[in-house]
Amino acid sequence: MCPAPPETRPRAYGPWSRPNGRSTDRTLVPVQELHDAPLAPLTTFRLGGPAARLLTATTDAEVVEAVREADESGTPLLVIGGGSNLVIGDKGFDGTALRIATKGFALDRTTLELAAGEVWTDAVARTVDAGLAGIECLAGIPGSAGATPIQNVGAYGQEVSSTITEVVAYDRYTRETVTIPNAACAFSYRHSRFKAEPDRFVVLRVRFELEDAGGLSAPLKYPETARAMGVEQGERVPAAAARETVLRLRAGKGMVLDPEDHDSWSAGSFFTNPILEEAEYEAFLARARNRLGPEVTPPAFPADGGRTKTSAAWLIDKAGFTKGYGTGPARISTKHTLALTNRGGATTEDLLALAREVVVGVHEAFGVTLVNEPVTVGVSL
């Protein structure tokens, strides 16, 4: 759907200029164009039908011009980065799919700028090699840098919202490139302004402020990471050691991409951890104890606004959906209950049928409704 004309939308922040003061080049360089193009190979699920048209853009200018062309012609647009957070329907996408393959890694002391198409886990490795802290525990997360602010990517006690300073994006409503400061990104748990307004912004670049702690990590916030390293929460360790530990932990859960490992043919965590109001949590706790016994203590973590966050993986497991659950080509990972996987030969509908079964089962058992983390295209739970 083409966004409404710009005069009906509020203006965003100021246009982005390059460091030399010149505005971005709007000359369109020919992009790679394919028709009836398979999209499944561009996703970590390896699922989904073809796109009527697929463009691959390697510069910011190409991205902007491709988006403008789609908007001006009223052509549906699907933006694809690393494809690690996409569930595309079996019928595919009847419009233009735009694959962002831009490159750019610029590190100036502790300030980092990444082009949206940069491979995220590679960028993390380079910052650790430079002795910087702040994103070392986000190692191994598949996908591209441009997707990280959209989802407010986080793991093992770190979130990108803690280090992002600015996001450079093309605003489809005002038809200009804008720089959005952290405070205006509306970051929250696995959410942001970009996720709330999916048809408005196309991320071009992301800027971070990291920390020089003499080669040490940021203080470890996640209990599992601290235990694995034999230290207390809040301690610092060598950043390289923290990264390697996280990669090892993720690999043990099938959360590091491996073409030979079908447990990694997934979108990582398929469901977000539920955040419950006080009354909702008390009702959940009562149902959990009624089902599992009066001594049970479900995982509980304080969240904003006096709410409580609990574990989606715990809910799934205790509702009877254990590791490896399923008999078809789409099953729960054999390594982690939070990952739904394509065992090879699955369809998107196979995956969705499993996801719906889990959602219904968890709700019947505990009264909690799970919410999918990946973005769905042409389908829904």
Side-chain angles (χ1 to χ4, degrees):
M1 180 180 293
C2 182
E7 61 269 19
T8 68
R9 302 288 185 178
R11 288 183 64 82
Y13 307 91
W16 174 56
S17 296
R18 291 180 176 174
N20 60 14
R22 296 194 298 271
S23 61
T24 51
D25 180 12
R26 293 183 176 177
T27 302
L28 177 62
V29 180
V31 299
Q32 181 189 79
E33 179 172 346
L34 299 172
H35 294 270
D36 196 27
L39 294 180
L42 302 182
T43 74
T44 54
F45 265 124
R46 295 165 173 81
L47 294 176
R53 180 176 180 236
L54 172 65
L55 303 179
T56 298
T58 59
T59 69
D60 290 353
E62 290 177 2
V63 173
V64 169
E65 290 299 325
V67 174
R68 282 179 174 161
E69 178 196 78
D71 288 347
E72 289 169 4
S73 65
T75 302
L77 180 69
L78 171 63
V79 178
I80 301 176
S84 61
N85 203 43
L86 277 180
V87 177
I88 299 173
D90 292 318
K91 292 183 179 179
F93 185 71
D94 188 17
T96 295
L98 173 62
R99 177 173 172 259
I100 298 181
T102 53
K103 297 296 180 184
F105 178 104
L107 187 59
D108 182 7
R109 298 184 181 178
T110 57
T111 300
L112 172 68
E113 179 178 287
L114 296 176
E118 281 289 327
V119 176
W120 173 252
T121 194
D122 292 347
V124 172
R126 294 177 69 177
T127 65
V128 170
D129 288 344
L132 299 178
I135 57 175
E136 64 280 359
C137 290
L138 302 179
I141 294 176
S144 61
T148 61
I150 297 172
Q151 197 74 5
N152 186 17
V153 163
Y156 295 97
Q158 290 184 342
E159 288 183 327
V160 292
S161 57
S162 298
T163 51
I164 287 176
T165 57
E166 297 176 329
V167 176
V168 179
Y170 177 67
D171 186 336
R172 297 170 68 187
Y173 292 173
T174 64
R175 301 181 186 179
E176 62 185 358
T177 302
V178 297
T179 297
I180 304 176
N182 180 293
C185 291
F187 287 124
S188 60
Y189 173 64
R190 301 297 177 271
H191 200 69
S192 70
R193 180 181 185 185
F194 312 105
K195 190 173 182 179
E197 301 180 81
D199 295 326
R200 180 167 185 176
F201 297 104
V202 177
V203 175
L204 301 174
R205 295 183 174 265
V206 189
R207 295 172 181 152
F208 303 81
E209 185 61 33
L210 304 178
E211 179 188 8
D212 184 351
L216 296 179
S217 69
L220 297 179
K221 296 181 180 180
Y222 202 70
E224 185 181 12
T225 315
R227 284 196 304 271
M229 302 203 70
V231 299
E232 298 293 325
Q233 281 182 255
E235 290 189 37
R236 294 179 184 265
V237 297
R243 173 180 173 271
E244 290 301 322
T245 298
V246 166
L247 286 173
R248 186 173 67 253
L249 291 171
R250 290 185 64 86
K253 300 172 183 177
M255 297 289 188
V256 176
L257 289 180
D258 179 352
E260 303 303 316
D261 181 5
H262 282 276
D263 279 326
S264 73
W265 289 30
S266 73
S269 299
F270 194 88
F271 299 103
T272 57
N273 289 322
I275 297 178
L276 307 175
E277 301 290 345
E278 183 177 358
E280 293 174 325
Y281 178 71
E282 292 300 325
F284 155 60
L285 189 59
R287 293 184 69 155
R289 289 176 173 167
N290 182 61
R291 179 183 178 89
L292 302 171
E295 303 303 319
V296 71
T297 303
F301 311 93
D304 293 340
R307 297 177 297 170
T308 301
K309 180 167 67 175
T310 191
S311 166
W314 186 93
L315 289 165
I316 293 167
D317 181 73
K318 299 305 182 185
F321 303 99
T322 53
K323 295 175 184 177
Y325 178 88
T327 58
R331 304 180 195 175
I332 291 178
S333 166
T334 65
K335 299 183 178 75
H336 200 290
T337 54
L338 202 47
L340 307 189
T341 67
N342 172 10
R343 311 313 295 184
T347 64
T348 300
E349 192 50 44
D350 292 330
L351 175 76
L352 294 176
L354 175 62
R356 292 174 188 130
E357 183 181 0
V358 172
V359 170
V360 169
V362 167
H363 190 269
E364 289 179 347
F366 300 110
V368 176
T369 301
L370 294 178
V371 176
N372 54 291
E373 186 168 332
V375 175
T376 56
V377 178
V379 291
S380 65
L381 290 188

